Amino acid sequence: MPLRVAVLASGRGSNLEALHRAAQNKQLPIVIVAVLSDKADSGALRYAKEHGIPGFAFQPKDFDSREAFDLALMQAASSVQPNLMVCAGYMRIISAAGIAAAPCPMINIHPSLLPKYPGLNTHARALANGDSEHGASVHLVNTILDGGRVLGQVKVPVMPNDTPASLAERVLNQEHTLLIETVRCITENPRLLQSND
Ligand code: GAR
């Protein structure tokens, strides 16, 4: 039985596309059962529509609180009965109530070598610190921002003339493989998702 994956995404959706292509090419035993977003006009939702994946959009301004938003999102996620939720460029912090209401374990891809640089602007921060390497991590989601157990990482060298944009692009190329390989590990060993302290 393929793993049922729900993807949360706010932006362009290249990580979603990488996962979906891997599933379509039979490289990964998963089926993407929904894309959920806080941005109705996101590239990720557009991709979902073009590829017949159910899409759900929720606008934060339609809700009284972060918790109410998150509960609606998790209710929609529950309706497609996922085994795994993947935050792939989901840029909204999920409240503790939202995490508690998640129908299944959740992972996130983050563009830094965690525990370095949780939060935003990771590429600029790595450059400002003069780091010689940067990268991306896939981790379990818990109530600490970008703080759950790391399941996989990829390192990328920083080049002398890098800008935040050039570094982000180089990292993003590697993110796609990292995400696919980490999800593959999960399909082969679901116990990786346990004990998210
Ligand atoms: C990716 O670089 C991902 O790591 C990052 O947003 C980008 C989404 O790209 N995520 C975060 O910064 C989460 N804190 P995509 O929409 O093309 O997949």
Side-chain angles (χ1 to χ4, degrees):
M1 283 285 280
L3 198 73
R4 296 174 63 80
V5 174
V7 175
L8 271 60
S10 305
R12 140 192 71 188
S14 72
N15 277 293
L16 161 69
E17 182 171 348
L19 266 188
H20 183 246
R21 279 178 191 265
Q24 296 291 97
N25 298 340
K26 312 272 181 237
Q27 289 170 5
L28 258 190
I30 66 167
V31 55
I32 298 183
V33 291
V35 174
L36 302 108
S37 185
D38 58 335
K39 299 267 190 272
D41 59 352
S42 60
L45 275 181
R46 210 163 37 244
Y47 181 88
K49 196 170 179 189
E50 285 166 8
H51 291 83
I53 305 167
F56 297 85
F58 294 94
Q59 304 231 56
K61 69 175 172 56
D62 293 340
F63 295 85
D64 289 339
S65 65
R66 182 175 293 277
E67 285 73 17
F69 174 94
D70 288 344
L71 291 180
L73 185 89
M74 292 304 171
Q75 207 164 22
S78 299
S79 74
V80 296
Q81 300 182 305
N83 311 117
L84 177 69
M85 291 176 73
V86 177
C87 300
Y90 186 64
M91 301 309 285
R92 210 177 140 77
I93 291 174
I94 304 174
S95 61
I99 290 169
C104 60
M106 211 177 332
I107 62 173
N108 177 46
I109 184 154
H110 181 75
S112 81
L113 296 171
L114 290 171
K116 275 189 147 181
Y117 312 129
L120 297 176
N121 303 320
T122 59
H123 311 95
R125 288 154 71 196
L127 289 176
N129 274 348
D131 292 358
S132 60
E133 59 182 16
H134 189 46
S137 308
V138 175
H139 65 91
L140 291 169
V141 172
N142 65 12
T143 52
I144 301 165
L145 179 66
D146 301 322
R149 182 155 54 80
V150 171
L151 301 177
Q153 279 187 329
V154 65
K155 290 182 179 170
V156 170
V158 174
M159 300 301 185
N161 295 325
D162 261 332
T163 62
S166 67
L167 185 54
E169 188 181 338
R170 194 148 3 90
V171 171
L172 186 68
N173 283 330
Q174 299 303 315
E175 284 185 34
H176 300 157
T177 313
L178 172 68
L179 186 57
I180 290 167
E181 288 313 314
T182 308
V183 171
R184 183 195 312 288
C185 288
I186 290 169
T187 63
E188 288 167 0
N189 183 7
R191 278 178 305 174
L192 283 174
L193 295 173
Q194 287 172 3
S195 70
N196 182 22
D197 299 321

